[in-house]
């Protein structure tokens, strides 16, 4: 289980974050929100995945390990991308959908990026997933 945990942890984080997101979106929509599965929303799956890996490495190898440095660098890159580039892509899609008033084209997906709160939720979810996996026998 020692080395398998590094593959299991991001999967567990993804599963928890995705399940939470589905439940939260379904409660808000007052129906099963299958149409909202994907990018965007609370908590961020991407942030959960990268933070779970970084946290597990910190717990098992320490924060002085080179692997932790790489994991933190990846986590910064993913979270910055989710908040900046992907968020802007979603805003552009929203504007383009408004310009296509007659809906001649299939609407572009507008939920692409994440707010800082959604990213923070993903980071916490990932850390908790790593703690959970780390305590498995």
């Amino acid at each position: 289980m020692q080395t398998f945990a590094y593959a299991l942890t991001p999967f567990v984080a993804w599963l928890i974050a995705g399940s939470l997101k589905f439940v939260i979106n379904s409660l808000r929509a007052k129906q099963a929100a299958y149409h909202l599965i994907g990018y965007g929303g609370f908590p961020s799956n991407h942030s959960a995945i990268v933070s779970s890996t970084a946290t597990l490495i910190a717990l098992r190898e320490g924060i002085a390990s080179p692997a932790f440095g790489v994991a933190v660098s990846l986590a910064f890159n993913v979270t910055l991308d989710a908040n900046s580039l992907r968020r802007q892509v979603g805003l552009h899609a929203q504007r383009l959908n408004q310009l296509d008033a007659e809906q001649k084209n299939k609407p572009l997906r507008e939920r692409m990026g994440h707010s800082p709160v959604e990213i923070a939720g993903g980071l916490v979810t990932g850390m908790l997933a790593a703690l959970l996996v780390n305590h498995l026998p």
Side-chain angles (χ1 to χ4, degrees):
M1 179 63 164
Q2 289 291 0
T3 56
F4 183 66
Y6 291 100
L8 179 64
T9 300
F11 176 75
V12 169
W14 170 80
L15 188 62
I16 293 170
S19 298
L20 281 171
K21 189 184 300 191
F22 179 75
V23 169
I24 290 167
N25 286 335
S26 295
L27 290 172
R28 285 182 179 160
K30 296 183 176 133
Q31 64 179 353
Y34 295 109
H35 63 287
L36 294 176
I37 293 175
Y39 297 110
F42 181 89
S44 163
N45 286 53
H46 291 84
S47 299
I49 291 166
V50 294
S51 67
S52 71
T53 303
T55 301
L56 187 67
I57 291 169
L59 292 169
R60 295 202 169 180
E61 300 177 34
I63 60 172
S65 74
F68 179 71
V70 172
V72 168
S73 297
L74 177 65
F76 273 124
N77 189 21
V78 168
T79 56
L80 289 174
D81 179 63
N83 184 249
S84 59
L85 177 65
R86 284 188 25 235
R87 190 167 173 86
Q88 289 302 314
V89 167
L91 293 173
H92 285 137
Q94 186 178 43
R95 183 66 179 126
L96 289 170
N97 286 338
Q98 290 170 352
L99 291 173
D100 186 19
E102 297 174 13
Q103 296 297 314
K104 293 180 182 177
N105 301 301
K106 181 181 175 186
L108 299 171
R109 184 181 193 106
E110 297 176 5
R111 289 175 45 133
M112 295 295 292
H114 291 284
S115 70
V117 171
E118 293 168 342
I119 291 170
L123 293 172
V124 170
T125 302
M127 290 176 198
L128 292 173
L131 288 169
L132 174 74
V133 171
N134 192 51
H135 282 90
L136 293 176

